Amino acid sequence: MIKLRSKPWRRVIGAVTAAVLLGAGQAAALETTPGDPTNSAYTSEPLRVMTWNVCGEAGGLGPWSTGYCPDRNTRLPDDSATLKKAYDVAHLVNQENADAVLLQEVCAGTLNSTRPGLPDNPSQLDQILRLLTPTGAWTAVSAVTPRSSDGKSSCRNTLSGDVSVAILVKGDVEWSRETPLPVPAEAQQPVPGKVLCAGVAGWETHLCTTHLTNYGDLPADVAAYRAQVDTVAGQVDDFRSVILGGDFNTRQKDRLQPLYRTMAECDQQSYHAGDVPDETTKVTHSWTAAPASSTVPEGSLVQGATQTSKIDYLFATAGFGACDSRPDLADNADYSYAAQPGCLYSETTRTSCVPSGTSDHAPLLGSVNGGPLLHWPLRDASSHSGTVKGGVGWSPDHGGTAVLDGSTGEIVTSGPVVDTTRSFTVSAWAKVDAGAGTSVVLAQDGSYISGMMLWFNKPDSTWRFGLPASDIPTWNVHQAISATAAVPGRWTHLTGTFDASNGAVTLYVDGVPAGSANHPDRWSAEGPFTVGRDKVSGRPNGFWKGSVQAVEVYGYPMTAAQVASAAGSLTAPTRTATTPATDKNGSGCHVGSYSAGDFGTVSSTTPDLTAHVSHPDPSREVWAEFSIWDNTDSTQPIRLGGPGSASGKVTGDGTVSVRPTLTAGHKYGWYARTVDGSSSPSPTGAVCHFTVAPAP
């Protein structure tokens, strides 16, 4: 594993720390994967991810070769020490502000670096990391994969390392595993490919990448390919939140169906005007040598068929807010004599062929949906990161709430949270006082008018969610209006969504669609995010009179099912732990299958099994039910829903635990689910495995 130590990376949006606090509605981490011993750092953040087969070692001397790789050995003209391919990858990562990069066919490692005449010869992956480091704390992990049918993996000529798949992250890789892919007995490729997965400090989301082999269309070949897909699916199934990307070497989506059933694939819809789904990720040209003639020299290249396809995919359990292929970065050069007279066919000598792209594949970039960009419980004065102004008080009502006076009270950030030109979701619990005038729950300032606002409209007693047509002093707002009247004095869960791909504005009241509108315009409101007022004609307006809590902002439009779930369904417990732990990672837990045989260790026969539970209604009591089983002798001292399985109760959210009596030296597994006594129990969390240390 390649690892550059530095401070843990933390995303900040404006002046607001992403995921200020974990709470109701957020899908936070279920795992205690090594790397976060206290299980306190996990957040479900929106991530910008790129997958790219960079063909770092493929192909022969020129574009007439199968799988020709542009710029395999090329150095920058003004920097002979830097590989052009490494520079192109790092440049795109910076340009797209990516958080994670999944690479296939990249040279990684140190093989050949000490060859005579090459005293300082870093691999492509080394150079990419070197170029990225000035822009943030990047680390990487890689796994060797075969280069070709001869099973060799070492990169050729002046390139260092082995052909590999790799995961790079703007953060700290603290855990990884590589799993061989199955190979048919009759296959000519004796070395299996790999699926590589990694965990990152502070991230709930795990990352996996792979490069599959397509053996053909005969039944046995299809079965062999399916075995690879099943292996990949088995690996990603270990993680509640995961992003998977790679070169899957198939155009047939049905062959990837096990993945489509459990995850979203990023390029299945348009996300903005002019965007199209299933964009090209692979360009294949057929170039052949021309015979001698009066018009072109012998060996000049003639282009045959050109084939474009989508064989690279990016999946995520959380879904996507945007996705885009960059076919302009795949080689599409004209190698004909008229365009490049120095590019001549040769099986022994490299000639002057100049590509137009970095690889024969295009990169695929996706914005992965995450937890909230902002989550303010507003239970008390400490449960937000904004600035309180004017008449704001605090009450224990409904589990703890901010109370605003309707004339001066507001809570504001120092910068924007919502990008009003793109898709987003905002939500809050709200109770408007009887007799209140028009009152705004939340908004985000523009120069003259707020770019979006969620409010109670006094004249007709409706809830409204709107986006103005432009940033001007006059009132021209596209509004979704509730069909039924608001009830003053009653707690109500409000959600507003904007889908930038089609302009849809939707208001949900208590998890149910209540009104819709169309917003065809796009402009960016770059002022602070506000709770308790909006801005109209350049002045503060519509001060909220009532109570507000659990304000959340997401960088994608929630579906109706997601809104309904956030408004009323129990979520699985998060931030699970087994303590006291004695293993080096301090986690006392391994998330995954029992057959993996990898267990954390706890020192006590009466450990505390802890989990964080939350309720969508902050005023409700909630607890966890635990199930634990003995993998050594198959007994189950605690059964889910049975005597002794229930933890203590908390109001709204909090950490709960049970303390079973176990046997020294035995191996155990456990999970928990969230319960409130009236709703359906939540799904169970991921399984945690541990070993009780043997008696001294």
Side-chain angles (χ1 to χ4, degrees):
M1 182 175 77
I2 300 167
K3 194 169 187 178
L4 304 179
R5 296 293 304 185
S6 58
K7 293 189 300 182
W9 171 78
R10 207 175 180 192
R11 173 189 295 269
V12 175
I13 301 170
V16 184
T17 302
V20 177
L21 291 170
L22 299 176
Q26 178 174 354
L30 268 291
E31 292 124 295
T32 55
T33 306
D36 183 25
T38 63
N39 297 287
S40 61
Y42 281 105
T43 59
S44 179
E45 295 182 308
L47 299 172
R48 181 78 168 151
V49 181
M50 178 176 80
T51 184
W52 197 359
N53 181 331
V54 296
C55 75
E57 223 297 318
L61 294 174
W64 55 87
S65 306
T66 301
Y68 168 62
C69 183
D71 292 328
R72 182 163 61 87
N73 295 289
T74 307
R75 308 267 170 165
L76 291 180
D78 57 349
D79 180 3
S80 60
T82 301
L83 292 165
K84 184 178 184 301
K85 189 180 294 287
Y87 174 84
D88 288 347
V89 173
H91 177 71
L92 181 63
V93 170
N94 288 332
Q95 184 182 60
E96 296 291 341
N97 194 27
D99 303 301
V101 184
L102 313 174
L103 300 180
Q104 304 84 47
E105 290 189 26
V106 63
C107 291
T110 59
L111 190 66
N112 297 342
S113 63
T114 58
R115 286 172 52 186
L118 301 173
D120 181 17
N121 190 36
S123 70
Q124 293 167 342
L125 185 59
D126 291 331
Q127 290 210 8
I128 293 168
L129 283 171
R130 179 185 298 173
L131 292 165
L132 290 176
T133 299
T135 67
W138 284 82
T139 59
V141 63
S142 61
V144 177
T145 57
R147 186 184 73 206
S148 59
S149 60
D150 62 7
K152 294 181 179 179
S153 59
S154 58
C155 297
R156 293 171 289 177
N157 301 329
T158 60
L159 292 174
S160 292
D162 290 302
V163 182
S164 304
V165 292
I167 298 172
L168 300 83
V169 299
K170 198 174 186 180
D172 196 356
V173 175
E174 292 202 340
W175 172 91
S176 67
R177 74 177 178 212
E178 56 183 80
T179 303
L181 297 170
V183 179
E186 65 277 9
Q188 294 182 355
Q189 181 175 295
V191 181
K194 303 282 180 63
V195 52
L196 174 67
C197 296
V200 185
W203 294 14
E204 172 198 0
T205 303
H206 287 74
L207 301 164
C208 295
T209 187
T210 192
H211 188 177
L212 303 189
T213 301
N214 193 334
Y215 296 101
D217 293 325
L218 296 175
D221 297 331
V222 173
Y225 185 84
R226 176 59 184 270
Q228 293 179 90
V229 175
D230 287 345
T231 298
V232 173
Q235 294 301 303
V236 300
D237 279 350
D238 278 349
F239 311 118
R240 179 166 295 276
S241 179
V242 64
I243 300 168
L244 166 68
D247 179 354
F248 287 80
N249 254 314
T250 184
R251 304 176 187 86
Q252 301 178 22
K253 293 180 183 178
D254 60 325
R255 295 190 179 181
L256 301 173
Q257 196 54 46
L259 302 175
Y260 275 102
R261 280 197 294 268
T262 56
M263 292 183 284
E265 201 278 308
C266 80
D267 205 16
Q268 298 306 293
Q269 67 175 82
S270 63
Y271 294 90
H272 53 80
D275 185 31
V276 296
D278 285 331
E279 292 181 286
T280 295
T281 67
K282 179 70 161 64
V283 180
T284 304
H285 300 286
S286 174
W287 290 93
T288 58
S293 70
S294 60
T295 56
V296 296
E298 184 176 4
S300 300
L301 299 184
V302 177
Q303 184 173 344
T306 298
Q307 186 178 65
T308 60
S309 59
K310 175 184 170 65
I311 62 175
D312 302 86
Y313 299 84
L314 189 59
F315 295 92
T317 49
F320 293 87
C323 187
D324 196 24
S325 173
R326 290 290 302 274
D328 58 301
L329 297 176
D331 182 30
N332 194 32
D334 183 353
Y335 292 107
S336 68
Y337 180 76
Q340 298 195 43
C343 183
L344 302 174
Y345 180 92
S346 174
E347 293 184 349
T348 59
T349 305
R350 186 175 300 278
T351 56
S352 301
C353 301
V354 181
S356 65
T358 304
S359 172
D360 57 343
H361 288 251
L364 189 61
L365 300 110
S367 295
V368 180
N369 294 338
L373 303 177
L374 177 145
H375 174 67
W376 286 353
L378 299 184
R379 292 170 177 267
D380 52 43
S382 66
S383 59
H384 64 88
S385 62
T387 299
V388 175
K389 299 181 179 181
V392 178
W394 306 93
S395 165
D397 182 33
H398 207 242
T401 180
V403 181
L404 289 79
D405 64 0
S407 58
T408 62
E410 60 178 309
I411 306 173
V412 302
T413 67
S414 58
V417 176
V418 175
D419 183 345
T420 52
T421 69
R422 296 180 177 271
S423 301
F424 65 87
T425 298
V426 294
S427 68
W429 281 88
K431 183 177 74 170
V432 65
D433 287 350
T438 294
S439 300
V440 177
V441 180
L442 55 84
Q444 182 165 296
D445 288 352
S447 297
Y448 294 99
I449 193 169
S450 294
M452 66 87 192
M453 59 276 279
L454 178 66
W455 78 98
F456 165 73
N457 194 62
K458 171 62 174 178
D460 58 2
S461 292
T462 57
W463 295 112
R464 299 193 177 199
F465 175 56
L467 283 76
S470 58
D471 191 9
I472 58 176
T474 57
W475 179 264
N476 182 12
V477 179
H478 306 131
Q479 306 174 48
I481 304 171
S482 64
T484 56
V487 181
R490 175 180 174 272
W491 279 103
T492 305
H493 190 267
L494 303 171
T495 303
T497 67
F498 171 57
D499 188 339
S501 69
N502 56 19
V505 177
T506 307
L507 170 67
Y508 297 83
V509 177
D510 289 329
V512 178
S516 61
N518 182 57
H519 176 62
D521 308 292
R522 304 288 184 273
W523 62 276
S524 180
E526 298 181 351
F529 179 86
T530 65
V531 171
R533 63 139 180 99
D534 63 359
K535 179 187 278 190
V536 177
S537 298
R539 297 185 298 274
N541 173 77
F543 281 93
W544 175 260
K545 183 171 177 54
S547 302
V548 182
Q549 64 183 189
V551 174
E552 294 185 328
V553 178
Y554 294 81
Y556 59 94
M558 284 188 172
T559 65
Q562 288 173 319
V563 172
S565 177
S569 298
L570 296 176
T571 56
T574 64
R575 288 176 281 168
T576 56
T578 306
T579 57
T582 60
D583 56 304
K584 64 179 181 179
N585 294 305
S587 63
C589 183
H590 169 74
V591 175
S593 63
Y594 168 68
S595 60
D598 188 7
F599 289 71
T601 305
V602 296
S603 59
S604 173
T605 57
T606 56
D608 288 320
L609 314 184
T610 63
H612 189 93
V613 293
S614 62
H615 200 287
D617 183 338
S619 67
R620 292 286 299 278
E621 284 191 327
V622 65
W623 61 95
E625 290 178 341
F626 290 78
S627 180
I628 184 168
W629 56 94
D630 189 326
N631 283 308
T632 302
D633 67 9
S634 301
T635 62
Q636 289 190 335
I638 299 179
R639 296 180 181 276
L640 191 67
S645 71
S647 70
K649 299 177 180 180
V650 292
T651 300
D653 65 32
T655 298
V656 295
S657 65
V658 294
R659 181 176 293 176
T661 299
L662 308 177
T663 303
H666 283 211
K667 297 179 183 294
Y668 292 89
W670 69 271
Y671 55 62
R673 67 184 182 186
T674 308
V675 180
D676 69 357
S678 59
S679 307
S680 298
S682 78
T684 57
V687 175
C688 173
H689 291 292
F690 66 92
T691 299
V692 178

